Amino acid sequence: MSSGGRIGFNAPYMPRGCDMRWFTSEEVCEILSRFDKVMIMGDSMMRHVIGSINVLLRKDLGYGAVTDWNFSEQERKDCFCNFQFNVKACSVQGIFRTADVVKNDPSSLSCPANSVDVMIEMMIRFPIPGEELQRLKDNIPEKKPDKPIAFVFGHGLWNDLDLQATLDWVDTILDNAAMKAPWLVEPASSAVKRDSSERAKSESKRQTLKSENQRVLWPRLFMTPNAAGKAKPDEWLVSQGNKALMTFEESVKEQAARRGVEHVGTWNMSIQSNKFDGVHLDLKGNMIKAMMIVNWLNMIEVEAF
């Protein structure tokens, strides 16, 4: 799904070398229901991804990504359809978890009640504040649930595409999750105590963790940032321009694999697509990102859990 392109600006995206399906809302519900929860971690780009997942779950292109149940008449005019992802005006009204839809507008969901749990933790930069890490751990059960938990990461721009900062960011999340819930990385029959003050950074320890993960099921995906558009502010064209984004995507793919984390790139998909501010994709582009994640989730053999 990372390779491919468009024949013309805003033309349909064509993946290369794979069959990327466009699932119906009912099929998306069924795929997500295979997991105890899907946890998304990242910045505003990932907030738009969970918004697009909610568009699919609610069958609502007009307001599916936002908390339209508390909108004023002016907000309903300003944030309709494509403008749900206008960062300055509307995306702050985005839906952060499906539980909020269940609470406030349950009839809008295509899924059976309480059958899916998708959420986002806004964790935008490294170092990660302690309160953000605590919220993350509060959402991870200490005891192994009946179904797996999928993690989806997205990071980069808030640390100026600094590769080491991104690796430290994801390592911190992985280590804190594993300390809270050892069942994520260790078979129940061979639990190993970990030092909570030490973060595994060496290659040997990372390879050990990857080896352990091959005996358990902890689905993890890193989605790198999309391409920059013509409206990208000039001050960011060197550190966050398309050359830097391409290099970052390739580097993260390599480093994620060393950690047993899968990767999906979005640069090819987005280089010829509309962006509100030179950074954030519109509804169509974000829907493709969401469907990439759903396709990945669909390929996970949850029976192994």
Side-chain angles (χ1 to χ4, degrees):
M1 293 183 289
S2 302
S3 300
R6 303 170 186 261
I7 306 176
F9 190 80
N10 272 344
Y13 177 66
M14 302 291 291
R16 180 183 180 186
C18 73
D19 179 18
M20 177 180 163
R21 288 187 55 191
W22 198 270
F23 294 100
T24 67
S25 292
E26 289 75 17
E27 289 172 328
V28 174
C29 288
E30 190 280 323
I31 292 168
L32 294 176
S33 71
R34 302 173 194 171
F35 299 86
D36 182 75
K37 67 177 63 177
V38 176
M39 299 181 64
I40 299 172
M41 287 140 281
D43 53 19
S44 55
M45 284 190 177
M46 302 310 292
R47 186 174 72 229
H48 291 177
V49 169
I50 191 173
S52 297
I53 292 175
N54 281 301
V55 167
L56 294 166
L57 295 178
R58 301 176 74 194
K59 285 188 180 180
D60 187 353
L61 290 171
Y63 299 108
V66 289
T67 59
D68 59 310
W69 53 79
N70 61 13
F71 271 12
S72 66
E73 285 302 314
Q74 187 60 47
E75 286 173 321
R76 294 188 71 82
K77 293 178 181 178
D78 293 342
C79 301
F80 179 67
C81 200
N82 209 29
F83 292 96
Q84 296 173 89
F85 298 100
N86 185 330
V87 176
K88 293 183 178 180
C90 301
S91 74
V92 292
Q93 298 272 37
I95 297 171
F96 281 43
R97 56 182 62 214
T98 51
D100 292 337
V101 183
V102 172
K103 178 181 178 180
N104 294 283
D105 193 12
S107 63
S108 70
L109 278 175
S110 300
C111 312
N114 300 312
S115 62
V116 300
D117 187 359
V118 185
M119 57 166 292
I120 184 170
E121 284 294 343
M122 297 297 295
M123 308 175 79
I124 63 176
R125 60 162 60 92
F126 182 84
I128 304 174
E131 60 270 21
E132 293 181 8
L133 286 172
Q134 188 58 53
R135 287 201 306 268
L136 170 74
K137 291 188 284 188
D138 288 344
N139 282 291
I140 303 174
E142 292 185 11
K143 294 183 179 180
K144 183 178 180 181
D146 294 331
K147 295 182 287 186
I149 296 177
F151 281 44
V152 182
F153 307 102
H155 183 264
L157 294 181
W158 278 88
N159 277 109
D160 217 18
L161 301 181
D162 181 331
L163 178 62
Q164 189 57 55
T166 291
L167 298 179
D168 289 342
W169 178 85
V170 73
D171 286 345
T172 299
I173 295 173
L174 292 173
D175 292 341
N176 275 267
M179 286 187 287
K180 170 65 184 294
W183 56 266
L184 285 168
V185 295
E186 297 163 354
S189 60
S190 59
V192 178
K193 291 184 179 179
R194 298 183 181 274
D195 182 358
S196 61
S197 65
E198 179 183 357
R199 295 201 305 110
K201 290 185 177 180
S202 70
E203 181 65 20
S204 60
K205 291 192 75 174
R206 288 295 170 203
Q207 290 297 333
T208 300
L209 181 58
K210 179 179 178 182
S211 176
E212 289 175 355
N213 289 338
Q214 292 172 351
R215 302 197 301 268
V216 294
L217 180 66
W218 184 8
R220 291 159 297 164
L221 178 71
F222 198 113
M223 174 174 276
T224 37
N226 53 253
K230 61 183 180 181
K232 185 90 171 184
D234 291 347
E235 61 188 294
W236 304 114
L237 288 182
V238 175
S239 61
Q240 296 183 12
N242 282 316
K243 179 178 179 180
L245 285 162
M246 293 172 70
T247 303
F248 182 78
E249 181 170 290
E250 293 172 358
S251 300
V252 169
K253 178 181 178 180
E254 177 183 342
Q255 292 295 328
R258 294 181 178 180
R259 291 157 171 77
V261 177
E262 297 184 85
H263 168 264
V264 60
T266 63
W267 193 91
N268 281 340
M269 179 275 289
S270 56
I271 185 61
Q272 293 192 88
S273 63
N274 186 51
K275 303 166 191 73
F276 278 108
D277 51 8
V279 178
H280 298 90
L281 296 173
D282 62 8
L283 174 61
K284 292 183 289 185
N286 282 300
M287 291 285 285
I288 295 174
K289 283 187 177 182
M291 199 56 74
M292 284 177 163
I293 291 174
V294 173
N295 273 261
W296 170 72
L297 291 169
N298 183 54
M299 293 187 291
I300 295 172
E301 297 179 353
V302 296
E303 296 81 6
F305 190 71

